[in-house]
Amino acid sequence: FFESDGHEGLQDYHPVSLDSVPRLLEEGKLHVDVAIIKVSRPHKNYVSLGMGVDVTREFVKYATTVIAEVNENMPWTEGHSKIAVSEIDWWVSVNHPLPSTNELWPGFFERSTSSVDVLQRIGANIVKEIPDKATLKFGVSPLCTCVFPYLRQRRDLGLHTDIFSPSLFQLIQEGVITNKYKTIDTGRTVVSNAHGDHDLYDFLDRNPIIEFHPSRYLNDLQTLAKIDNLISIVGAFKIDLTGQIATDSISTKFYGGLWSDNESILGAKLSKGGKPIVILQSRSLRGRSNVVIALPPGTGVSITRSNVEFVVTEYGTACLYGKTIRERCLALIDIAHPDFRAELMEQAKAAGYISQSQPGRFSKNTYPRELECLHTTKRNKNVLVRPIKPIDEDNLRSFFHNLSDHSIYLRYFRKVKSMP
């Protein structure tokens, strides 16, 4: 956004996460004169907020005047989604069909930001980090949807996320998402918004297995920490070689809000068995690298390097947890687009992130993923066998120095005292 009036300073933007809005209202830093909301038909002196709960309750509480559009087609959703009719000042009755996803955001989710092959490869890489029985939380970036088709490879998944969509509805129908092993809200999907079509809206109506909660609960760190095996997946624009993430702006231009990405990442870090995952395409629409030596001047850091653990592109996954700056550079260069790897390596050396003597060579050839295989040991433990990568350098050296002289001779057919 901000493509026209924004250049003249006629628009403004609050760079806060969604769950910070209630606090801004409470402290009077955000003033609301009129709140216009959409609700279901009244039932026993209450109405349901239907498919849009997030921060609506707080706006109703602090607005001077509340106007409700009462739609007979609005589903009565379960959870913390009701308000008393006494809180509403004016009523407008309508009976038109609820807008579909494409009517709300024409072409937004279908708009191609990259080739289908790139999105498929990102999705295939993400699902490798998702175990059976995990609970999933997705950011609002359309890039996050690329993993949805691959979730059918998993079973008994849980869902605790901001937006419920037709693809997630389909996974519930197919039995992929069961919420059976969630450590809180067991057996129930927890969301704060939904969009879709008539079938989805009909599914939500008075359905106890789908609960709508305010963002304050959905993204509360104490709540997220109670969910074991929470896998949070958020989309990003760019990442620098130390792990700094940009999700809402590039240079001085804003492309979106912060939503709940930072809380999602922190919540997964606090979760027992959780994984915070940041995903991005290796190249921008203009063909530039999205893995850079430093973020462009003016770009906001949405997620700091200390909170980044897993980064996924179409070229693989970089685990940054516990890694030094040098190791982070090598891991991120390894999943950058091959056309930029040599340049990134030289930039990292010039910046002092990597020693000038670093022997790593980054070929333009694609990593031979077809050679990877999963081997099951006699003790029924799964082990991934794959070709070696530049990031494995330290592990290989450590492995070498733990070998006996006899083992080294049998492996290399000569006496070797050190690894290069």
Side-chain angles (χ1 to χ4, degrees):
F1 58 100
F2 290 3
E3 291 185 356
S4 55
D5 293 345
H7 290 298
E8 301 177 14
L10 300 181
Q11 298 179 1
D12 210 349
Y13 163 51
H14 281 279
V16 297
S17 58
L18 194 62
D19 67 321
S20 297
V21 173
R23 180 182 170 188
L24 292 176
L25 291 166
E26 290 171 3
E27 296 179 353
K29 298 184 182 299
L30 184 62
H31 301 279
V32 182
D33 293 317
V34 180
I36 303 175
I37 63 175
K38 297 177 182 290
V39 300
S40 69
R41 289 190 300 175
H43 177 69
K44 296 183 178 180
N45 296 320
Y46 282 86
V47 293
S48 170
L49 294 173
M51 301 177 300
V53 176
D54 47 47
V55 292
T56 307
R57 294 176 61 89
E58 284 78 11
F59 278 111
V60 169
K61 180 178 179 180
Y62 291 100
T64 304
T65 303
V66 178
I67 303 174
E69 180 185 271
V70 186
N71 193 329
E72 293 185 4
N73 295 302
M74 178 68 76
W76 181 281
T77 54
E78 301 297 336
H80 201 50
S81 60
K82 288 84 174 176
I83 62 172
V85 297
S86 59
E87 297 182 71
I88 298 172
D89 300 301
W90 295 90
W91 302 76
V92 179
S93 181
V94 298
N95 191 26
H96 54 66
L98 297 173
S100 65
T101 297
N102 199 48
E103 289 171 330
L104 288 169
W105 305 288
F108 182 70
F109 290 92
E110 289 77 25
R111 187 183 301 132
S112 177
T113 57
S114 189
S115 69
V116 173
D117 176 63
V118 167
L119 297 178
Q120 289 176 341
R121 285 156 58 192
I122 293 175
N125 288 334
I126 297 170
V127 80
K128 293 177 182 178
E129 305 300 328
I130 301 175
D132 292 335
K133 306 176 184 179
T135 296
L136 306 178
K137 190 176 191 304
F138 299 101
V140 297
S141 168
L143 194 59
C144 294
T145 63
C146 69
V147 74
F148 289 173
Y150 296 91
L151 295 179
R152 293 179 175 86
Q153 301 174 16
R154 300 294 179 261
R155 59 185 178 86
D156 289 323
L157 297 175
L159 190 62
H160 181 102
T161 196
D162 293 271
I163 299 179
F164 189 66
S165 66
S167 297
L168 296 173
F169 168 47
Q170 186 64 34
L171 292 172
I172 289 179
Q173 295 288 78
E174 295 174 10
V176 177
I177 295 175
T178 63
N179 299 295
K180 184 177 178 181
Y181 293 95
K182 287 177 69 175
T183 45
I184 63 171
D185 301 315
T186 308
R188 290 162 290 170
T189 288
V190 174
V191 298
S192 66
N193 287 277
H195 62 79
D197 52 24
H198 174 74
D199 290 340
L200 183 144
Y201 303 150
D202 186 60
F203 173 76
L204 295 177
D205 189 46
R206 301 183 186 277
N207 190 337
I209 70 168
I210 309 290
E211 291 192 356
F212 283 70
H213 286 267
S215 294
R216 206 170 203 177
Y217 171 80
L218 198 85
N219 297 305
D220 176 64
L221 292 183
Q222 293 184 12
T223 299
L224 297 176
K226 295 176 184 177
I227 305 174
D228 291 353
N229 303 310
L230 176 65
I231 311 296
S232 292
I233 302 168
V234 303
F237 293 138
K238 290 187 181 293
I239 182 172
D240 72 19
L241 288 183
T242 70
Q244 302 273 54
I245 300 284
T247 65
D248 73 329
S249 67
I250 300 177
S251 188
T252 57
K253 187 172 182 179
F254 294 100
Y255 292 89
L258 297 177
W259 201 261
S260 62
D261 289 348
N262 200 47
E263 286 77 12
S264 297
I265 294 296
L266 291 173
K269 285 172 63 71
L270 295 172
S271 164
K272 180 182 178 181
K275 286 184 181 179
I277 301 175
V278 176
I279 62 175
L280 72 162
Q281 299 165 120
S282 66
R283 291 195 299 185
S284 69
L285 294 177
R286 296 182 179 180
R288 300 169 181 169
S289 179
N290 284 332
V291 180
V292 294
I293 183 65
L295 297 176
T299 302
V301 176
S302 308
I303 305 172
T304 61
R305 63 173 70 94
S306 61
N307 290 325
V308 178
E309 294 192 4
F310 293 87
V311 181
V312 176
T313 72
E314 68 269 30
Y315 290 102
T317 301
C319 177
L320 305 187
Y321 180 67
K323 296 289 194 301
T324 64
I325 294 297
R326 181 182 70 85
E327 292 169 333
R328 284 169 173 245
C329 289
L330 293 175
L332 289 170
I333 292 173
D334 190 51
I335 63 169
H337 193 281
D339 290 351
F340 301 100
R341 291 177 185 172
E343 179 184 0
L344 288 168
M345 186 68 162
E346 292 307 311
Q347 290 176 337
K349 288 182 177 180
Y353 292 159
I354 294 176
S355 169
Q356 294 292 334
S357 61
Q358 175 69 39
R361 296 177 181 178
F362 292 88
S363 170
K364 287 190 176 182
N365 295 330
T366 304
Y367 171 74
R369 192 170 305 283
E370 66 277 6
L371 298 180
E372 290 184 349
C373 66
L374 199 62
H375 175 71
T376 304
T377 67
K378 293 181 180 179
R379 296 183 178 180
N380 205 33
K381 182 178 181 180
N382 291 328
V383 178
L384 176 65
V385 181
R386 62 166 175 79
I388 197 167
K389 299 180 179 181
I391 189 60
D392 299 319
E393 177 186 328
D394 289 345
N395 289 333
L396 178 61
R397 186 179 294 110
S398 176
F399 170 76
F400 173 84
H401 288 295
N402 279 290
L403 293 174
S404 66
D405 291 342
H406 183 64
S407 294
I408 292 175
Y409 185 82
L410 293 177
R411 181 175 292 270
Y412 299 99
F413 302 107
R414 59 192 178 93
K415 292 183 178 180
V416 181
K417 294 297 183 183
S418 65
M419 290 292 290

